[in-house]
Amino acid sequence: MNVKSADDVDFAKRGGVIPVVVQDKKTKDVLTLVYANREALAKTIETGNAWFFSTSRNKLWMKGEESGNVQPVSEIRVDCDSDALLYIVDSNKPMCHTGERTCFHNMVEKA
């Protein structure tokens, strides 16, 4: 399925907000898991930069608007149920608010 607009994604299933996995184009590292609403996806398609919906702040935001670590999106993929997205980004800037490259930098220790 080719996503041409935010209308091609089923936001209704999850109350208007769906998960977005962000993956680095070159390394294939998973950088973060965030959320998007219809407007965030539309702005990502329109601008080519990653936009999300903050569930904690209840507002739209562009990655890098405060840190300068803008994440250019080279591909957007939708899962088979049309209720989750994958943004493939072409950036070497940190994704995590802590300054780490990926939000998945903490390891779970085995017992």
Side-chain angles (χ1 to χ4, degrees):
M1 170 183 177
N2 290 325
V3 176
K4 294 185 176 152
S5 77
D7 294 333
D8 295 330
V9 179
D10 189 355
F11 289 94
K13 263 192 229 179
R14 299 183 187 268
V17 178
I18 62 172
V20 180
V21 173
V22 180
Q23 182 181 37
D24 183 273
K25 181 178 181 177
K26 292 178 191 120
T27 67
K28 307 298 185 214
D29 290 340
V30 173
L31 302 177
T32 194
L33 171 67
V34 287
Y35 297 92
N37 61 6
R38 183 179 306 278
E39 185 180 5
L41 176 56
K43 288 184 94 47
T44 299
I45 293 169
E46 176 189 332
T47 67
N49 291 320
W51 283 80
F52 307 111
F53 183 80
S54 171
T55 55
S56 61
R57 295 180 285 168
N58 198 34
K59 73 172 211 166
L60 192 69
W61 62 284
M62 183 184 79
K63 175 61 183 159
E65 64 189 1
E66 293 178 14
S67 68
N69 295 340
V70 175
Q71 299 291 328
V73 177
S74 63
E75 282 182 53
I76 301 171
R77 296 184 184 203
V78 62
D79 78 331
C80 57
D81 295 324
S82 297
D83 63 356
L85 296 169
L86 173 65
Y87 286 2
I88 299 175
V89 299
D90 191 14
S91 177
N92 61 0
K93 297 180 179 179
M95 186 69 186
C96 187
H97 72 279
T98 65
E100 294 286 338
R101 172 139 172 74
T102 173
C103 292
F104 295 98
H105 59 273
N106 295 310
M107 299 290 285
V108 175
E109 294 182 24
K110 294 180 183 179

